Amino acid sequence: MVRRMITNWDDAYSNSAHIAGGSSWPDVWDQAATRFREKLEASDHMRLDIAYGKAPRQRLDLFLPEGKPRGLAVYIHGGYWMAPGPQTYSHLAAGALGHGFAMAIPGYRLCPEVRIHDIVQDVASAIARASEEVDGPIHLTGHSAGGHLAARMICVASPLAAPVRQRVCHVVSISGVHDLRPLLNTAMNATLQLDAEQARVESPALLSPVSGARLTCWVGGAERAEFRRQSALLANIWTGLGAETLAVEEPDRHHFNIIDGLADPKHALTSTLLS
């Protein structure tokens, strides 16, 4: 198959302009998340704004199932490392809760206040903090930029301390950006402040997985070609480096509704994450 040379990198990584009603999705998520939290307000199954650092955005939300949790799931939000925050995605905890797992949804500092290297450290600190609250295996997932951050946690150069990293049994990167180098060619890099060296050292596709790593790369069949390529890329490379990998294209899903499965305990995305 012949692939055409990409000349417009901004368009290649643009999603809203290529999805009907694309600009409405943040409001859709916010409304669903608010309804979900309202249902839990009278219970002791929700703990918001748990600090893991001193900065205002270094907070995480923790959702707890009935009874003792079977383990911990962590959802890392996307937004090109620039937006929004964890409370936009509270409803995505429903799938994990339905299987008896707790779910942590961390926030993190955003570009241009910090650089991607700092965000990687924030996410590691958030996972470590959540791991203090919930025992058992840890299952990581993230969407888009969050997929990058989730995969980054099981690279050999992971910032996770060994006792926490050894509890991570599965990572699902949803529509993840695994090679950051193409972003050097985009207008958004004025905010991201990536340079060639940082793009190299923070790209999971250019790093080795830890021993025993399990990775699923999950992407929508209706997504932009670059996201499908980025998803297949990491699964392919890490297979050659000894990781157990799976690549899934979910039919008819685009970049925004691809995460909906996490809100449904019966959806294959949720069962795959918790496997």
Side-chain angles (χ1 to χ4, degrees):
M1 181 176 69
V2 176
R3 293 184 180 272
R4 295 183 178 180
M5 182 175 65
I6 296 174
T7 57
N8 187 340
W9 289 98
D10 290 305
D11 183 68
Y13 282 93
S14 173
N15 289 296
S16 292
H18 296 276
I19 297 171
S23 62
S24 68
W25 277 91
D27 288 339
V28 170
W29 291 327
D30 279 330
Q31 292 167 13
T34 297
R35 290 194 299 268
F36 181 78
R37 291 194 304 275
E38 288 173 347
K39 289 180 180 179
L40 295 181
E41 278 181 353
S43 74
D44 58 355
H45 299 301
M46 178 176 67
R47 296 176 55 197
L48 304 180
D49 293 323
I50 299 173
Y52 66 85
K54 295 181 180 179
R57 288 188 178 272
Q58 290 176 319
R59 302 288 187 272
L60 65 88
D61 296 338
L62 182 65
F63 301 93
L64 298 164
E66 297 284 347
K68 181 178 174 59
R70 296 173 56 197
L72 173 68
V74 180
Y75 174 78
I76 307 164
H77 73 78
Y80 279 126
W81 306 272
M82 297 184 287
Q87 293 198 357
T88 297
Y89 303 100
S90 304
H91 59 295
L92 299 183
L97 295 183
H99 287 270
F101 281 77
M103 177 171 272
I105 305 181
Y108 46 81
R109 293 172 295 168
L110 302 171
C111 297
E113 175 192 357
V114 297
R115 300 179 73 184
I116 289 176
H117 170 80
D118 303 301
I119 296 173
V120 169
Q121 301 297 319
D122 276 7
V123 169
S125 296
I127 294 169
R129 178 68 183 87
S131 75
E132 295 173 357
E133 301 293 326
V134 180
D135 295 329
I138 298 173
H139 301 250
L140 304 180
T141 189
H143 174 237
S144 198
H148 158 267
L149 295 165
R152 186 65 183 79
M153 295 300 110
I154 56 167
C155 296
V156 167
S158 172
L160 284 177
V164 179
R165 189 180 67 244
Q166 289 163 4
R167 289 174 57 187
V168 177
C169 62
H170 194 192
V171 168
V172 177
S173 175
I174 306 169
S175 309
V177 181
H178 306 125
D179 181 355
L180 303 183
R181 293 174 298 178
L183 301 182
L184 296 170
N185 304 307
T186 66
M188 78 177 82
N189 198 40
T191 300
L192 299 179
Q193 303 176 72
L194 275 169
D195 56 35
E197 177 61 12
Q198 185 187 182
R200 182 185 67 81
V201 300
E202 296 299 344
S203 291
L206 303 178
L207 302 172
S208 296
V210 297
S211 177
R214 288 183 62 224
L215 170 76
T216 295
C217 292
W218 192 287
V219 71
E223 294 211 44
R224 306 285 287 145
E226 261 300 274
F227 286 92
R228 300 197 308 274
R229 184 189 70 83
Q230 286 264 7
S231 190
L233 175 71
L234 186 61
N236 190 348
I237 290 175
W238 276 18
T239 296
L241 296 176
E244 179 184 335
T245 70
L246 175 67
V248 177
E249 278 202 12
E250 185 176 357
D252 302 322
R253 293 282 181 164
H254 57 62
H255 191 72
F256 296 148
N257 65 13
I258 188 66
I259 59 175
D260 289 353
L262 291 176
D264 181 357
K266 298 180 180 180
H267 195 279
L269 179 55
T270 293
S271 59
T272 297
L273 169 63
L274 301 178
S275 66

